[in-house]
Structure formats: structure tokens, C-alpha cells
């Protein structure tokens, strides 16, 4: 007989569009399989402090299309301590919760991995982060929406750039990963893309611009915030000195990249992952993240999922593609 009766669900770390669709799927799947489901507010911070709410099919009505997370999210320093995690475990026992589903990124899974090992407590993760920087899934929930947000914003910037013969440096999110910059950069037809995984540097960029066609009405350079050059303003300054005749403008997109309605891709991914996570828990899965690789659902151990993947996804072939298309 299966002893899982009550599943707890939380969202943690940076919010990502599609987290609500994931919560909805977890709650509806749990109810479908005759389980109780408890919402844990503000990620691990709410776990530690017992900030729990009962969820039912109605509490997730009309949220599939909403950005953010109805369960709120937080970064919890307390959970990083052994005492904090012990407090969290006691809260789960007190509320008769038998398994956890956590929705977040690599930090969330690092914490979940410790917790599941320390207390032998079942946890299944859902990749919810705009960064797409996890192993074991081709795409994370929120990434598709974030790159489309960037593309829509840069298309508008392109209109004004075109009207004034300007060079725009646009900074996008990605402290440790340039995947948002790379994909969206290709999507907007950027002249060059500066990402942490490939050290093009300012010199490389200058060369690219010097070699490029001079009669282009507008030029767009995408910079990932984590690139070694230190952000779009630094790049802008360096270029102004080298090209005093260019009309150079800088734009930092910031938090708009986290907001907005999730794309259909993200809603479907989140829905599929949410149901798979509940079914995984019932089948005895633990210490693993649900993912989709080549269209198949798979479970990957947390310690493997959080290994960084830059070399794999940001291969020279992608950078070559950018160079070829910038002619
Ligand atoms: P995103 O990639 O979108 O920022 P994330 O899940 O990586 O999401 P983090 O803030 O890095 O976001 O992690 C979320 C939470 O996970 C932290 O606030 C903390 O409570 C927990 N966590 C992170 N690292 C550890 C760790 N080494 N030990 C225990 N808990 C951790």
C-alpha cells in the first residue's frame, strides 16, 4: 500500500513564468490521485516557519495564464543551515506531509538534495527558472517566455535604432549563463552576443563591428549580465571611445524578463512536469528532477541536474551561427 497521502508544493529562488501552471498541475494531479496537497508559501522560508495552506482544485483555478507564483517565492538563508532544515523537517512532520515537490532552479535543488539525504524525505523537483541552466531537461519552465519577452522588447528597440542609425547595446539576464542572450540574440538578428561562456571581450566585439557592413542602418549587440566585460554600460563606454562617430545607446531590460504571461510552450511544459512529478512521487521517485529530453520525460538526480552545462549548450557552432548571420 502506498503511504503517500499528503504532498507539499513550493516555489523557490527566482520566479519564472509558468510556475503557476506547474502549481496547478501538481494540485490537480494530486487530487486526481486522491491525495491531499499543501501549499508552502515563500519557498524554503515558509517551509522552515510552517507557512502552509491547504490547496484544492479551486485554489488553482484561473492561474495557468498568470506570471509570477501564487505561492510566492523567497531566498532563504535559514534553510542553508542544518538547524533551518531540521526546523523544516519538523514542520513537515507536524503537518503530516509525506513528500515534497519543489519548483525552482539549481539553488533550490542543491537545498533539496541536502534535505532529502539528511532526512530520507521524498522530494521531486520541477525545473522552474528562466535561465535554462539545468542538466536533464532541454528546456526549463520560464525560459521560452523570457526569451520571447526579450525578443519583443528588442524588436521595439530595433525600430527606434533603425530610425536614427544607432548602435544599441542591450543587456539581458543571465548571471552565470548566456543562454537567454544567445537564443534571443539569434532571434533578433544581433550583430554580436557577449556571454560568459565565450570570452569574445570588448576587443573581439570591436573587431566584429569593424569587419561588419558599414551601411547597416542599425546594429544590436546583446550582452548577458554575467559577461566578463561587466555589463552593457561598460561595453557602451568602451565602444564610444573606439567609435566616436557612432550614436551608441544602452538599454538594460531587467526584471521585465521575469514577468508576463507564460507562453504556451511554458504552460504545456509546466503542466506535463507537474503531473509527472506527482506520478513520480507515487511511483517512489525521490531526489530527482523531472525533465524533458528529446520529447521524452525523464528523471535526473539532483546532483547531476545542477551541474553547469555551458560547454554543452553554448558550443562553438552556435557562436559561428551568430557570426555568419551578422553579415
Ligand atoms: P534561479 O536559478 O531562478 O535563481 P534558484 O533555485 O537557483 O533559482 P537560489 O536563490 O539560488 O535560486 O536558491 C533558492 C533557495 O535554495 C535559496 O534561497 C536557499 O534557501 C536554497 N539553497 C540554495 N543553495 C543552497 C545550499 N547550498 N544549501 C541549502 N540550501 C540552499
Amino acid at each position: 500500500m502506498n503511504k503517500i497521502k499528503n504532498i507539499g508544493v513550493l516555489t523557490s529562488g527566482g520566479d519564472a513564468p509558468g510556475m503557476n501552471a506547474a502549481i496547478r498541475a501538481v494540485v490537480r494531479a494530486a487530487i486526481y490521485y486522491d491525495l491531499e496537497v499543501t501549499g508552502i508559501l515563500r519557498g524554503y522560508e515558509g517551509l522552515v516557519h510552517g507557512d502552509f495552506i491547504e490547496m484544492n482544485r479551486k485554489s488553482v483555478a484561473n492561474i495557468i495564464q498568470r506570471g509570477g507564483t501564487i505561492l510566492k517565492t523567497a531566498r532563504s538563508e535559514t534553510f542553508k543551515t542544518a538547524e533551518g532544515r531540521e526546523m523544516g523537517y519538523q514542520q513537515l512532520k507536524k503537518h503530516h506531509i509525506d513528500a515534497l515537490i519543489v519548483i525552482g532552479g539549481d539553488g533550490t535543488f542543491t537545498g533539496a538534495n541536502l534535505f532529502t539525504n539528511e532526512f530520507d524525505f521524498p522530494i521531486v523537483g520541477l525545473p522552474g527558472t528562466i535561465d535554462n541552466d539545468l542538466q536533464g531537461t532541454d528546456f526549463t519552465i520560464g525560459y521560452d517566455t523570457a526569451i520571447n519577452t526579450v525578443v519583443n522588447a528588442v524588436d521595439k528597440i530595433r525600430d527606434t535604432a533603425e530610425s536614427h542609425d544607432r548602435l544599441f547595446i542591450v543587456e539581458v539576464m543571465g548571471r552565470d549563463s548566456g543562454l537567454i542572450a544567445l537564443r534571443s540574440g539569434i532571434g533578433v538578428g544581433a550583430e554580436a552576443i557577449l556571454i560568459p561562456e565565450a570570452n569574445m571581450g570588448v576587443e573581439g566585439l570591436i573587431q566584429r563591428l569593424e569587419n561588419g557592413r558599414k551601411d547597416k542602418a542599425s546594429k544590436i549587440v546583446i550582452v548577458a549580465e554575467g559577461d566578463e566585460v561587466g555589463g552593457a554600460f561598460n561595453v557602451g563606454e568602451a565602444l564610444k571611445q573606439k567609435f566616436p562617430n557612432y550614436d551608441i545607446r544602452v538599454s538594460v531590460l531587467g526584471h521585465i524578463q521575469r514577468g508576463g504571461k507564460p507562453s504556451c510552450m511554458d504552460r504545456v511544459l509546466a503542466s506535463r512536469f507537474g503531473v509527472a512529478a506527482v506520478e513520480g512521487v507515487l511511483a517512489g521517485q525521490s531526489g530527482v528532477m523531472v525533465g524533458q529530453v528529446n520529447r521524452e520525460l525523464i528523471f535526473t538526480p539532483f546532483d547531476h541536474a545542477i551541474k553547469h552545462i555551458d560547454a554543452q549548450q553554448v558550443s562553438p557552432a552556435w557562436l559561428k551561427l551568430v557570426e555568419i548571420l551578422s553579415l
Side-chain angles (χ1 to χ4, degrees), residues 50-124:
D51 216 349
F52 296 177
I53 53 169
E54 212 178 290
M55 308 284 285
N56 56 43
R57 66 190 75 204
K58 250 188 102 181
S59 47
V60 292
N62 202 22
I63 64 166
I64 192 169
Q65 77 280 24
R66 282 166 58 189
T69 156
I70 58 163
L71 292 177
K72 311 269 186 200
T73 182
R75 305 206 191 256
S76 171
E77 287 306 312
T78 320
F79 192 77
K80 288 187 178 172
T81 66
E83 302 75 50
R85 291 192 296 277
E86 173 67 34
M87 284 163 71
Y89 179 62
Q90 294 306 332
Q91 294 288 359
L92 290 172
K93 281 209 324 196
K94 190 170 136 193
H95 290 83
H96 307 291
I97 295 172
D98 309 308
L100 267 185
I101 292 180
V102 298
I103 307 165
D106 57 343
T108 300
F109 298 150
T110 304
N113 201 32
L114 281 172
F115 193 89
T116 193
N117 290 331
E118 282 169 348
F119 303 104
D120 193 20
F121 192 89
I123 309 185
V124 170

Side-chain angles (χ1 to χ4, degrees), residues 132 134 136-140 143 183 291-295 313:
N132 205 32
L134 293 163
T137 192
D138 290 338
F139 299 107
T140 56
Y143 176 63
R183 284 261 169 171
Q292 178 183 296
V293 174
N294 296 335
R295 298 188 189 166
Q313 285 209 36

Side-chain angles (χ1 to χ4, degrees), residues 33-50:
Y33 289 111
D34 287 328
L35 302 171
E36 284 174 57
V37 56
T38 303
I40 300 169
L41 300 177
R42 295 177 300 110
Y44 293 138
E45 196 59 14
L47 173 63
V48 167
H49 295 106

